[in-house]
Amino acid sequence: TFNKISIDTYKTKKWPSVDVVSKQVSNEPLFLIFYKELYYRHIYSRLQVSFDDRRGSWENYCRLLDLIISDLKEGEDLSVALPPQWIWDILDEIVY
């Protein structure tokens, strides 16, 4: 699980960068958005947060919202379904 991996392997360091993950796992945009969400959640919960981390987290939220808005404008079903807690966290972060 996310917490177990974070504690066992990345207790005092960041998860692998998005560039590394995109080359080794997938470079699909939606996958990378979700990976970044977990990446930044780990930083916020366990490490010292820098300005670049805050900006990167914000930009990731914007990319996700752009994807959702694009789907709505095109009249398509949403290409993403999020757990209610994630929706709350994203809206809370944007408003905060």
Side-chain angles (χ1 to χ4, degrees), residues 30-95:
L30 185 57
F31 169 79
L32 294 176
I33 288 171
F34 286 135
Y35 177 79
K36 286 179 189 178
E37 174 64 15
L38 292 174
Y39 174 87
Y40 287 119
R41 283 180 184 231
H42 168 69
I43 292 171
Y44 276 92
S45 68
R46 290 184 166 60
L47 304 174
Q48 183 70 33
V49 181
S50 70
F51 174 77
D52 286 339
D53 295 326
R54 292 181 192 281
R55 186 180 68 224
S57 176
W58 171 259
E59 289 171 353
N60 196 54
Y61 285 140
C62 291
R63 281 188 206 98
L64 179 58
L65 290 175
D66 286 343
L67 179 69
I68 292 169
I69 290 168
S70 174
D71 286 352
L72 293 173
K73 282 183 178 178
E74 294 172 8
E76 297 178 7
D77 290 336
L78 292 180
S79 57
V80 59
L82 297 173
Q85 184 62 49
W86 278 31
I87 294 170
W88 173 259
D89 290 346
I90 291 168
L91 293 175
D92 183 54
E93 186 64 28
I94 289 171
V95 171

Side-chain angles (χ1 to χ4, degrees), residues 16-27 32 35-36 39:
S17 73
V18 172
D19 292 334
V20 169
V21 170
S22 69
K23 291 175 186 170
Q24 294 183 7
V25 181
S26 173
N27 64 354
L32 294 176
Y35 177 79
K36 286 179 189 178
Y39 174 87

